């Protein structure tokens, strides 16, 4: 009895073996992203971008004479998995820096690991809590949801409107952006006259939109979410014949939103980086070279249209490489200091000026207001 | 008034999706007592295969037909390669096999297709039909029509056809069914094929409204399962009513109470119904055999 | 004096001995601290699964909502220190008490249901809990989660002159708690209550006929398993120092049940094997990249097809057949 239990245990335990040690490399960069799962439309282009860039850098001889190795995991957007992979990156893979965390939940779960291990960490998630308050080893590249709210409200005020009906997804992104929009509405001179939500898998939002339509004095609708929700909301707005201006967030900044929402997307506005309108930028625009270059490289390497999400990974990677070059080493503490000293870096999201008190380094000017016309992005002047 | 009508249209639209998914659960459940956790993946495959076949140039009806047939084949294969091999295993073991199958199919779809959201055109365009100040999309009517047809077909199948009765007999007592000459292997293969086909049909009808992606199955299966249990598992009428009811509860809760807790409202109603009627609204009561 | 190996040791002692040996010996083969983390997760999952052995394996009831109790335990540890000023360890106890109470309350009506109806009712309960955790952002931080206070044990040990790494400390702590949980569950199995419970598994009607208070025993199994799940959730929150509503997600419930059945629902050691397999496997499969999910699903199916009673009981039977 006892013997056979022991034997079967050994057999079962044998399955667990194979957590084999990784091969040696020069400079190891870690990454854990939501390559699958509900946030995969963020994590997938991010992962592809990193792979592409590492190959590119290695083909050009690496950094400081050393080749890069990318250790990449798929956390599916699950914070608990992300936490485990963070530990694995630090303890087992012994990486010198980490890019990733596609979602805010996964990012927040990983922060204690990197703070304790003293490894620089550049997050690709949206919420402002990641860098406010500032954490010594944590940076991020995407605009915050707070900035998106500010940009949208600015545009609404420019149109002479002020009463906004808010409809947000109940996932992390929508919930966080909803809170930020409620917070900044007052100072932006905007009044939120309706506040509705829907679940991440919902297929019809006409009840919520009917309520917004009937809200007293509503002049514009703002939808804070990413994924399938915004496409359905946009279609539902058209179905109900609501003629108010519709604003989406930076979370829908990929071509697939236009495809999914179809004709209903006409006239929808959203704040996004210049990446989506790379070809339409005037040649005098200082950002043009960067965004056109990345767009062309990404679309050639993957055969898929570029999205701003991959751009976040591009910015993070380029900043990291620049920091390593500047520090002349890949030693984590030196790299961290160099990232914090990033000044005038031109990325897909805009010009980055980091400091000890600002681990994002972007301002509102980097955000462009886009409008969808004839199935394509156009710049709102 | 037009408000209530709009909430009702919304509820019927969403409810039709749930009902179609719930109907897919009934046959496999009736034949084997197994709740098939991969049912949502059948729905996903129906949508995804149509999307990719359509994108490859097939006309929409042909793409949809291909999706239904291919998914039915996958259902039969699942039965042949997994369920049939586990002959004699307990119901719980079979359920875990279907969970494994759902993870497998999701992974395969992620590899074989992609990770993007997809949609194909509605059957009759996207111009809403206005009735008394409320609007409904033609595709919603297609879904309701589809759910009604599948229900009627299932009802006739189980009550009128010999094969349908053989399915019920197999579930009731497999050995006895074999003794009276029922080919229980065939019945199982048929159940998986039909369930998968119904699931795929649900995906074909719903995708223009719900959109689809490789991982769309889990959420659909959860709601479809809940709807089926509300109506009474195994009863096609229960699946239809349960699905529409869950949709209507969600829409009216979102409209009149709180959109935050509309899913909660559906589950609270389900719990309340089950406490009063432990077999669901239209389920048959089963006595434990000693 | 009694000779040490005079009579063969009982299955209970064997189980505990095997667990103890594995927990104690495994670190000798750990190439890095990351393995302590995986070990910790295995033990934490193993604890929840041990609770489910009482519910599923002994009493024959199903639950697809136990992640809800894990969520309660986790958020008790997150909120207790902030709002009540409780130390994290006491918050864990508070979470366990609350979970037990809630299980007792909802268990009464829910456990009258059978089979799939019980499954959907418990699933509904779990969905409600995770929905409250995600929606009430003012309290819980919403879907993006909230930070959890440090347990403080490491500092305590440090001041007592014992220096131990964080990862190692959690490994030993979780391992010890799993051992204690397994010991309790095994004792229960051999007690008169345990025998009454297991009589439910075979036939409720028969159990009732011989005078077993069926409702009471079902309820107690439900409460016990809820407490196990709650403690497991608390430990996860404390070791992660961060928690999100994902912990109460119904997929987590299904994962726990799958671990229980895959390893072998009838025994504590079998279920622990399930926790080991399903926790370690994804870490092994990362090497396969995009094939990870396909292979994971395939392994689940294959185990259940070829070892239908669960990994351990089936292997056990095969080996015994060969030995004899």
């Amino acid at each position: 009895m006892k013997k056979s239990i022991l034997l079967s245990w050994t057999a079962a335990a044998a399955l667990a073996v194979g957590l084999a040690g990784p091969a040696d490399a020069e400079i190891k960069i870690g990454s854990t992203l939501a390559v699958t799962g509900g946030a995969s439309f963020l994590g997938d282009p991010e992962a592809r971008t990193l792979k592409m860039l590492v190959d590119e850098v290695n083909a050009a001889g690496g950094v400081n004479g050393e080749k890069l190795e990318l250790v990449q995991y798929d956390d599916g957007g699950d914070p608990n998995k992300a936490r485990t992979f963070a530990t694995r990156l630090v303890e087992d893979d012994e990486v010198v820096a980490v890019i990733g965390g596609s979602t805010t939940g996964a990012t927040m779960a990983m922060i204690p690991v990197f703070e304790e291990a003293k490894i620089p960490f550049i997050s690709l998630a949206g919420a402002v809590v990641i860098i406010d308050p500032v954490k010594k080893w944590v940076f991020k590249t995407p605009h915050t949801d707070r900035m998106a709210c500010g940009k949208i409200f600015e545009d609404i005020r420019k149109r002479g409107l002020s009463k906004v009906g808010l409809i947000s997804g109940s996932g992390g992104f929508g919930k966080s952006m909803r809170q930020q929009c409620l917070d900044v509405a007052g100072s932006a001179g905007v009044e939120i006259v309706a506040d509705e939500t829907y679940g991440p898998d919902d297929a019809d939002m006409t009840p919520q939109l009917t309520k917004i339509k009937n809200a007293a004095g509503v002049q514009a609708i703002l939808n804070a979410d990413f994924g399938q929700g915004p496409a359905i909301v946009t279609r539902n707005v058209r179905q109900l014949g609501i003629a108010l201006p519709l604003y989406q967030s930076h979370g829908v900044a990929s071509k697939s939103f236009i495809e999914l929402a179809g004709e209903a997307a006409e006239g929808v506005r959203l704040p996004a980086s210049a990446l989506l309108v790379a070809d339409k930028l005037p040649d005098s625009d200082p950002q043009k070279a960067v965004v056109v270059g990345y767009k062309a490289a990404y679309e050639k390497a993957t055969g898929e249209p570029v999205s701003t999400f991959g751009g976040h990974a591009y910015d993070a990677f380029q900043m990291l490489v620049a920091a390593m070059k500047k520090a002349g080493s890949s030693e984590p503490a030196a790299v961290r200091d160099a990232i914090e000293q990033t000044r005038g870096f031109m990325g897909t999201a805009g010009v980055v000026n980091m400091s000890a008190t600002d681990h994002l380094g972007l301002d509102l000017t980097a955000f462009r207001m886009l409008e969808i016309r004839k199935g394509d992005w156009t710049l709102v002047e | 008034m037009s408000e209530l009508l709009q909430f009702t249209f919304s509820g019927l639209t969403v409810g039709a999706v749930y009902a179609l998914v719930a109907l897919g659960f009934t046959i496999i459940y009736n034949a084997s007592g197994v709740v098939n956790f991969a049912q949502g993946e059948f729905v996903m495959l129906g949508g995804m295969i149509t999307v990719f076949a359509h994108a490859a140039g097939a006309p929409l009806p042909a793409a949809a037909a291909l999706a239904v047939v291919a998914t039915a084949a996958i259902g039969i294969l699942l039965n042949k390669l997994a369920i049939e091999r586990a002959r004699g295993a307990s119901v719980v073991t079979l359920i875990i096999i279907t969970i494994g199958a759902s993870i497998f199919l999701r992974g395969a779809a992620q590899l074989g297709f992609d990770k993007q959201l997809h949609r194909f055109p509605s059957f009759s365009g996207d111009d809403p039909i206005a009735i008394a100040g409320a609007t409904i999309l033609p595709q919603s009517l297609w879904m309701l029509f589809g759910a009604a047809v599948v229900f009627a077909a299932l009802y006739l199948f189980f009550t009128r056809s010999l094969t349908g009765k053989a399915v019920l007999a197999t579930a009731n007592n497999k050995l006895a069914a074999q003794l009276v000459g029922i080919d229980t292997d065939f019945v199982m293969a048929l159940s998986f094929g039909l369930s998968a086909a119904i699931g795929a049909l649900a995906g074909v009808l719903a995708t223009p409204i719900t959109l689809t992606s490789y991982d769309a199955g889990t959420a659909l299966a959860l709601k479809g399962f809940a709807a089926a249990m509300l109506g009474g598992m195994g009863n096609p009428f229960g699946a239809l009513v349960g699905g529409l009811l869950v949709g209507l509860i969600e829409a009216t809760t979102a409209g009149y109470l709180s959109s935050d807790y509309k899913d909660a409202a559906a589950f609270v109603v389900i719990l309340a119904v089950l406490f009063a009627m432990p077999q669901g609204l239209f389920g048959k009561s089963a006595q434990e055999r000693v | 004096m009694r000779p040490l190996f005079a009579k063969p040791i009982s299955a209970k002692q064997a189980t505990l001995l095997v667990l103890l040996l594995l927990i104690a010996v495994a670190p000798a083969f750990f190439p890095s601290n990351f393995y302590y983390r995986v070990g910790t997760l295995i033990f934490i999952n193993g604890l929840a699964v041990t609770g489910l052995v009482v519910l599923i394996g002994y009493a024959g009831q199903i639950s697809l909502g136990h992640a809800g109790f894990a969520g309660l335990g986790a958020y008790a540890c997150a909120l207790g220190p902030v709002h009540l000023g409780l130390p994290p360890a006491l918050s864990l106890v508070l979470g366990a008490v609350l979970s037990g109470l809630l299980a007792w309350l909802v268990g009464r009506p829910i456990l009258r249901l059978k089979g799939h109806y019980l499954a959907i009712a418990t699933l509904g309960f779990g969905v409600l809990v995770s929905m409250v955790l995600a929606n009430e952002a003012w309290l819980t931080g919403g879907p993006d989660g909230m930070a959890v206070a440090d347990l403080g044990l490491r500092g305590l040990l440090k001041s007592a002159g014992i220096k131990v790494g964080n990862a190692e400390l959690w490994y030993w702590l979780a391992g010890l708690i799993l051992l204690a949980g397994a010991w309790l569950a095994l004792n229960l199995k051999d007690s008169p209550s345990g025998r009454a419970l297991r009589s439910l598994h075979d036939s409720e009607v028969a159990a009732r006929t011989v005078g077993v208070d069926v409702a009471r025993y079902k309820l107690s199994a439900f409460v016990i398993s809820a407490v196990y799940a709650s403690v497991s959730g608390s430990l996860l929150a404390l070791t992660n120092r961060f928690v999100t509503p994902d912990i109460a997600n119904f997929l987590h419930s299904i994962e726990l049940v799958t671990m229980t059945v895959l390893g072998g629902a009838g025994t504590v050691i079998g279920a622990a094997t399930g926790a080991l397999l399903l926790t370690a496997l994804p870490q092994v499969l990362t090497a396969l990249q995009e094939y990870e999910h396909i292979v994971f699903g395939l392994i689940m199916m294959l185990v259940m097809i070829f070892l239908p009673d669960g990994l351990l009981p089936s292997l056990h039977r095969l080996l015994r057949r060969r030995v004899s």
Side-chain angles (χ1 to χ4, degrees):
Chain A
M1 168 80 190
K2 188 183 73 172
K3 195 174 177 186
S4 53
I5 279 189
L6 266 174
L7 274 173
S8 37
W9 243 107
T10 324
L15 286 164
V17 182
L19 298 146
D24 283 310
E26 310 278 352
I27 302 177
K28 277 195 181 180
I29 297 175
S31 152
T32 161
L33 299 164
V35 183
T36 57
S40 61
F41 64 98
L42 303 176
D44 195 44
E46 289 163 359
R48 287 165 182 252
T49 299
L50 289 181
K51 279 202 181 109
M52 175 185 95
L53 292 175
V54 166
D55 290 345
E56 215 169 80
V57 165
N58 283 341
V63 177
N64 300 336
E66 290 179 294
K67 295 264 188 219
L68 296 181
E69 188 196 324
L70 178 68
V71 185
Q72 193 163 283
Y73 296 118
D74 170 18
D75 59 43
D78 176 344
N80 187 42
K81 274 192 196 157
R83 168 77 184 215
T84 303
F85 284 130
T87 312
R88 186 166 179 178
L89 287 170
V90 169
E91 301 285 352
D92 213 40
D93 302 318
E94 298 177 348
V95 298
V96 297
V98 175
I99 294 174
S102 304
T103 60
T104 302
T107 296
M108 297 305 287
M110 290 192 283
I111 286 176
V113 177
F114 301 125
E115 285 282 303
E116 192 183 359
K118 301 191 178 6
I119 299 282
F121 171 44
I122 309 181
S123 167
L124 308 180
V128 68
V129 289
I130 295 166
I131 43 104
D132 179 22
V134 173
K135 295 154 199 79
K136 187 171 178 196
W137 297 88
V138 183
F139 304 86
K140 80 176 212 104
T141 54
H143 291 99
T144 67
D145 38 15
R146 198 181 184 87
M147 296 162 89
C149 297
K151 186 78 185 176
I152 290 167
F153 289 157
E154 190 185 288
D155 194 64
I156 287 176
R157 295 292 294 141
K158 262 192 218 157
R159 284 174 153 185
L161 311 173
S162 68
K163 290 187 161 45
V164 175
L166 181 61
I167 178 165
S168 49
S170 62
F173 182 95
K175 204 105 183 168
S176 169
M177 181 160 168
R178 169 186 170 272
Q179 193 54 51
Q180 297 304 327
C181 285
L182 291 176
D183 286 354
V184 302
S187 58
V190 163
E191 189 190 342
I192 305 290
V193 292
D195 180 13
E196 295 291 323
T197 64
Y198 58 85
D201 301 308
D202 285 2
D204 187 278
M205 286 64 144
T206 54
Q208 291 94 325
L209 288 166
T210 302
K211 281 172 85 180
I212 291 181
K213 183 183 166 188
N214 296 342
V218 62
Q219 294 169 317
I221 299 174
L222 166 55
N223 182 199
D225 195 14
F226 59 28
Q228 66 180 33
I232 294 174
V233 166
T234 306
R235 301 183 76 90
N236 287 165
V237 166
R238 180 171 180 271
Q239 179 194 334
L240 292 174
I242 301 175
L244 303 173
L246 173 61
Y247 286 83
Q248 290 290 349
S249 73
H250 53 314
V252 305
S254 69
K255 195 88 185 180
S256 79
F257 168 73
I258 301 182
E259 279 162 24
L260 294 170
E263 282 172 33
E266 280 302 300
V268 169
R269 286 190 179 189
L270 71 154
S273 79
L275 196 54
L276 297 179
V277 285
D279 310 328
K280 300 186 184 77
L281 289 178
D283 288 335
S284 58
D285 195 302
Q287 218 182 340
K288 180 150 187 168
V290 170
V291 290
V292 167
Y294 167 63
K295 182 174 190 272
Y298 182 85
E299 291 179 351
K300 182 162 171 259
T302 65
E304 282 179 14
V306 78
S307 70
T308 54
F309 317 121
H312 303 325
Y314 174 89
D315 294 353
F317 181 83
Q318 300 294 12
M319 258 188 267
L320 180 62
V321 167
M324 285 180 185
K325 284 183 178 154
K326 186 174 172 203
S329 107
S330 55
E331 199 265 316
V335 173
R336 188 217 81 93
D337 293 345
I339 297 175
E340 193 170 80
Q341 286 155 20
T342 302
R343 299 278 186 283
F345 167 82
M346 182 57 80
T348 62
V351 184
V352 178
N353 290 300
M354 298 266 187
S355 72
T357 54
D358 184 0
H359 278 193
L360 170 65
L362 286 168
D363 57 26
L364 267 186
T365 57
F367 248 157
R368 321 262 173 149
M369 186 54 71
L370 306 185
E371 186 174 303
I372 297 166
R373 279 182 217 145
K374 297 201 183 79
D376 201 2
W377 314 105
T378 52
L379 271 167
V380 175
E381 300 311 331
Chain B
M1 187 57 211
S2 74
E3 224 176 41
L4 175 63
L5 196 61
Q6 187 61 51
F7 300 160
T8 309
F9 285 168
S10 168
L12 288 176
T13 301
V14 178
V17 181
Y18 298 161
L20 278 164
V21 180
L23 283 164
F25 278 107
T26 46
I27 306 183
I28 292 180
Y29 178 81
N30 277 345
S32 63
V34 168
V35 168
N36 171 29
F37 272 77
Q39 189 64 36
E41 272 59 41
F42 292 154
V43 181
M44 175 273 290
L45 285 172
M48 290 295 267
I49 295 175
T50 310
V51 165
F52 278 78
H54 185 52
L60 200 52
L66 174 74
V68 173
V69 172
T71 310
I74 291 170
I76 293 170
L77 277 178
L78 172 62
N79 176 60
K80 196 87 200 153
L81 299 178
I83 305 291
E84 210 177 292
R85 301 282 158 118
R87 207 186 292 265
S90 67
V91 167
V92 178
T93 299
L94 293 176
I95 290 176
I96 304 285
I97 292 179
T98 67
I99 294 179
S102 115
I103 297 174
F104 175 83
L105 289 174
R106 220 177 305 148
Q110 171 201 329
L111 266 183
F113 302 121
D114 60 18
K115 283 178 270 187
Q116 309 293 319
L117 282 163
H118 292 285
R119 168 175 197 277
F120 47 80
S122 310
F123 300 175
S124 313
D126 290 324
D127 292 327
I129 302 163
I131 302 166
T135 58
I136 189 164
L137 291 172
Q139 192 66 28
S140 301
L141 301 180
W142 274 106
M143 285 197 296
L144 286 165
F145 175 69
V149 168
V150 170
F151 157 71
L154 278 181
Y155 180 79
L156 291 177
F157 177 69
F158 281 124
T159 55
R160 297 290 156 84
S161 81
L162 209 55
T163 325
K165 286 179 180 159
V167 169
L168 292 175
T170 305
N172 206 20
N173 188 333
K174 200 166 182 177
L175 186 65
Q178 279 166 344
L179 286 176
V180 297
I182 294 172
D183 182 351
T184 52
D185 279 350
F186 170 74
V187 164
M188 284 296 285
L190 181 77
S191 319
F192 269 84
L194 281 178
S195 270
I198 295 174
L201 182 67
V204 168
L205 292 171
T207 297
I209 291 204
T210 59
L211 317 182
T212 194
S213 63
Y214 79 99
D215 60 352
T218 316
L220 287 171
L222 174 67
K223 287 292 176 61
F225 178 45
M229 301 308 291
L230 175 63
M233 197 68 184
N235 182 340
F237 184 65
L240 184 70
V241 173
L244 294 177
L245 213 53
V246 171
L248 287 170
I249 294 166
E250 287 185 4
T252 43
T253 310
Y256 289 120
L257 296 169
S258 142
S259 41
D260 269 348
Y261 280 103
K262 69 173 178 38
D263 290 21
F267 276 104
V268 167
V269 171
I270 290 170
L271 285 175
V273 167
L274 289 182
F275 291 161
M277 311 164 83
Q279 310 294 329
L281 290 173
F282 304 103
K284 45 187 184 300
S285 74
Q287 282 296 315
E288 186 189 1
R289 280 188 294 263
V290 183
Chain C
M1 204 170 81
R2 206 162 58 110
L4 199 56
F5 286 107
K7 58 178 175 183
I9 58 172
S10 70
K12 177 179 111 186
Q13 288 162 321
T15 300
L16 290 173
L17 204 66
V18 170
L19 273 180
L20 179 68
L21 275 176
L22 270 153
I23 295 171
V25 173
F29 303 99
F30 286 175
S32 85
N33 269 339
F34 160 65
Y35 292 74
Y36 284 105
R37 160 81 184 174
V38 176
T40 308
L41 289 180
I42 292 171
F43 300 154
I44 289 175
N45 283 330
L47 189 67
V49 166
T50 303
L52 285 178
V53 166
V54 174
L55 185 70
I56 301 175
Y58 295 0
Q61 307 298 311
I62 189 79
S63 167
L64 294 183
H66 264 53
F69 295 115
L72 280 177
Y75 275 87
C77 283
L79 296 170
V82 181
H83 292 281
L84 304 173
L86 284 176
L90 265 183
S91 304
L92 178 148
V93 176
L94 177 73
V97 172
L98 284 176
S99 293
L101 261 176
L102 191 65
W104 185 74
L105 281 175
V106 300
R108 287 176 163 252
I110 279 185
L111 288 164
R112 282 173 36 222
L113 303 170
K114 290 189 174 53
H116 294 112
Y117 293 93
L118 179 60
I120 190 70
T122 47
L123 190 151
F125 162 78
V127 167
L128 292 181
V129 172
S130 75
M131 208 167 274
V132 171
L133 294 177
N135 279 338
E136 300 307 315
W138 57 275
L139 183 67
T140 64
D144 283 340
M146 65 183 294
V148 178
D150 186 24
L151 180 59
L153 187 60
R154 201 166 156 217
L156 213 66
L157 288 173
K158 207 172 189 176
S159 58
I162 306 167
K163 267 189 93 169
V164 53
N166 194 33
E168 280 173 74
L169 176 70
W170 272 104
Y171 177 87
W172 296 115
L173 184 64
L176 272 179
I177 294 176
L178 173 64
L179 266 180
W183 180 73
L184 283 173
L186 289 164
N187 275 342
L188 178 73
K189 186 179 186 177
D190 293 332
S191 71
S193 313
R195 279 193 287 275
L197 270 180
R198 280 182 290 155
S199 72
L200 299 185
H201 187 279
D202 299 329
S203 165
E204 278 188 30
V205 176
R208 196 174 290 124
T209 314
V210 296
V212 174
D213 184 347
V214 171
R216 204 189 100 211
Y217 279 109
K218 277 206 262 186
L219 188 60
S220 53
F222 193 67
V223 171
I224 290 169
S225 59
V227 170
Y228 272 82
S230 173
V231 173
S232 137
S234 293
L235 291 175
L236 192 61
L238 288 169
T239 184
N240 281 351
R241 301 281 316 275
F242 191 79
V243 64
T244 66
D246 292 272
I247 192 171
N249 193 288
F250 89 101
L251 291 173
H252 186 211
S253 292
I254 289 179
E255 201 183 357
L256 291 175
V257 172
T258 306
M259 286 176 183
T260 313
V261 177
L262 203 66
T267 61
V268 168
I269 191 91
T273 313
L276 169 86
L277 182 69
L278 285 197
T279 313
L281 200 55
Q283 295 297 328
V284 180
L285 295 182
T286 53
L288 300 173
Q289 306 240 341
E290 62 263 49
Y291 295 94
E292 180 189 333
H293 299 278
I294 285 199
V295 175
F296 187 76
L298 209 55
I299 291 177
M300 265 177 77
M301 288 199 278
L302 290 176
V303 169
M304 288 280 89
I305 291 170
F306 294 107
L307 308 169
D309 294 330
L311 198 60
L312 211 68
S314 300
L315 277 179
H316 188 168
R317 194 172 314 128
L318 280 176
L319 287 166
R320 193 158 50 179
R321 206 175 296 154
R322 191 154 303 167
V323 170
S324 61

